[in-house]
Amino acid sequence: MANLRIEKVFGAINIGSFRISAMIAGLTGDGEMIVLGSGHRAADGIRRGYVTDMDAATHAIRDAIERAERAADTQVSSVWIGCANAGLMSEIREVDIEIGGRRIDQDDVEYLLAEARERIVPQLGEPRVVLHAQPAHYVLDGAQGVSNPRGLHAQRLAVAVHVMEAEAGPLRNLMEAVQNAHLEVEGVVGAAVATGHACLTEEERELGVAVVDFGAEVTHVSVHVGGMLVGVSVLPYGSNELTDAIAGAFGIRRAQAERLKCVCGSAIASPTDHREKIPLADGGDEVPRAELISTISNQLSRWTEDVARALKGLGFVTGRGGNGRQIVLTGGGAELAGLADHVQQALAKPVRTGRPPAMKGLPEAHARPGFAALTGLVLYAAADPIDIRTHGSAWQTTSRFGQMKLANRVMRAIREYF
């Protein structure tokens, strides 16, 4: 890797409830993303995606990025961070302007994006802030799915904007924890956006796919249709519920239950489970593996019901004959053996496990579903998608404008009415 010419370096930190992971990646002149170093550690001071102890969270973030810096033999001063909760809300909003049947040019597109920014982005001091406001596609006289409207004629031009918002207070806590670790925040990316970049192909996004990010304390359910993220729903629990159920059923500590789940657990039973004995702890009692799997399956039944309900609320109907196509499972909970088969049987839809894409330098330990969001952060940063909050700034929509803005407004009026 030393001989490769790295043109830009990206730092990323995914702040989860179970672990905090960090990655430093470089973009070569050929457009290849190479992982220079990565690291992770147990999460402290974080509960269900919220900062609950600023000092503990800051220390854990600093430790995770230092591990990645040592592996990469380089330092970063700014990072992209993943937001796994903070009251995430996602929806598609449409903003339109009058064209009057003439040909659409670049000024019209810029003006439309400026109008969208004015109407969508909340003012300072609001209880919610916008994480993403990305134009997904344009609409000409009701015809959707237009990727480039320039040169076409229409009466009205609209843009469908995917907007993701977060609660202002929890988001500021998250950013402050990173800043206290002596890092600048390059940007904040919603977990569903990051995992989508890591796990989905362009064809899947276009045809329609649901992503279920099964984290430790939070489950994110998102739907992608027509090439864009159309909705996100958050379940306030995750795979730690399985651990707690095992600990309660067998009277063991949570650390022992977590190890039992990872080493011997499964979401699918087999005929030999009743004959196979597994130790509850080192030198402890043994129980049939079937009892462990039964405990896990019972807890998963509630989870799959909630996932199905969330998908239905997002317009992705499961079951045979439903309009949903495929479900992609990712996150640390997706590493449970047999989970994809369990969900496929429960929801009657094709299910696959989503992992980070193959990247040069990515350690095998970080090529698992639990690190998909981390990889998605650097991929998102490199893609640099258009955001209406920063795009189209040449247009000023308020009443105060200079001579050049006045000239542009006059020329626009001439085009509209003559």
Side-chain angles (χ1 to χ4, degrees), residues 58-333:
T58 297
H59 175 74
I61 290 168
R62 184 69 250 173
D63 187 21
I65 195 65
E66 286 179 351
R67 295 182 187 210
E69 288 176 334
R70 285 195 295 270
D73 195 23
T74 188
Q75 291 184 326
V76 292
S77 59
S78 62
V79 294
W80 292 78
I81 62 176
C83 180
N85 203 330
L88 292 178
M89 183 197 74
S90 172
E91 63 179 349
I92 300 296
R93 301 178 190 171
E94 196 170 292
V95 176
D96 67 342
I97 59 173
E98 183 73 33
I99 297 295
R102 59 178 174 77
R103 180 179 294 168
I104 299 167
D105 60 21
Q106 181 61 32
D107 281 350
D108 295 313
V109 176
E110 296 287 348
Y111 181 76
L112 174 62
L113 294 180
E115 283 289 310
R117 182 177 67 248
E118 190 75 12
R119 298 185 202 177
I120 289 175
V121 177
Q123 301 298 315
L124 292 176
E126 292 290 327
R128 302 190 69 85
V129 296
V130 173
L131 287 185
H132 305 282
Q134 298 168 344
H137 65 249
Y138 296 92
V139 183
L140 271 65
D141 297 333
Q144 299 186 358
V146 179
S147 59
N148 183 6
R150 290 185 293 273
L152 302 176
H153 294 77
Q155 293 294 325
R156 299 195 70 82
L157 171 65
V159 61
V161 182
H162 167 244
V163 180
M164 180 176 287
E165 293 182 345
E167 295 173 352
L171 182 62
R172 281 197 294 269
N173 292 335
L174 204 64
M175 295 176 65
E176 187 172 322
V178 175
Q179 291 163 347
N180 289 345
H182 311 296
L183 295 165
E184 295 180 13
V185 177
E186 192 79 19
V188 183
V189 182
V193 174
T195 52
H197 269 74
C199 300
L200 301 181
T201 65
E202 291 298 326
E203 185 175 6
E204 285 176 330
R205 295 173 189 264
E206 190 66 34
L207 293 177
V209 64
V211 179
V212 180
D213 186 353
F214 194 15
E217 295 184 350
V218 180
T219 300
H220 290 91
V221 181
S222 58
V223 173
H224 301 250
V225 179
M228 63 178 172
L229 177 62
V230 298
V232 176
S233 181
V234 180
L235 304 181
Y237 68 97
S239 61
N240 277 0
E241 296 287 322
L242 304 180
T243 303
D244 292 344
I246 295 169
F250 299 108
I252 56 179
R253 297 194 304 272
R254 291 193 77 257
Q256 295 171 325
E258 179 69 21
R259 184 180 184 279
L260 201 61
K261 178 184 72 176
C262 296
V263 176
C264 303
S266 175
I268 296 291
S270 70
T272 61
D273 291 336
H274 289 281
R275 298 192 299 270
E276 183 180 353
K277 297 285 188 177
I278 56 173
L280 294 177
D282 294 337
D285 297 334
E286 292 186 342
V287 297
R289 187 167 183 257
E291 292 186 20
L292 172 64
I293 295 176
S294 176
T295 301
I296 292 174
S297 297
N298 290 338
Q299 195 66 30
L300 281 176
S301 296
R302 172 205 168 201
W303 178 77
T304 51
E305 288 175 2
D306 288 344
V307 168
R309 195 174 297 113
L311 288 172
K312 184 177 180 180
L314 295 172
F316 187 98
V317 181
T318 60
R320 293 176 178 83
N323 65 348
R325 290 181 178 271
Q326 186 184 41
I327 298 171
V328 176
L329 286 177
T330 191

Side-chain angles (χ1 to χ4, degrees), residues 397-410:
T397 57
T398 61
S399 59
R400 300 178 61 186
F401 44 82
Q403 291 183 347
M404 290 302 296
K405 295 296 187 297
L406 177 60
N408 286 336
R409 187 67 60 86
V410 171

Side-chain angles (χ1 to χ4, degrees), residues 25-45:
L27 191 64
T28 69
D30 297 331
E32 182 183 12
M33 183 68 78
I34 297 176
V35 177
L36 304 176
S38 58
H40 69 276
R41 58 148 292 153
D44 290 323

Side-chain angles (χ1 to χ4, degrees), residues 6-29:
I6 303 295
E7 295 194 343
K8 192 168 184 180
V9 174
F10 301 94
I13 299 178
N14 189 48
I15 303 172
S17 301
F18 180 74
R19 69 168 70 92
I20 295 176
S21 52
M23 178 179 289
I24 300 172
L27 191 64
T28 69

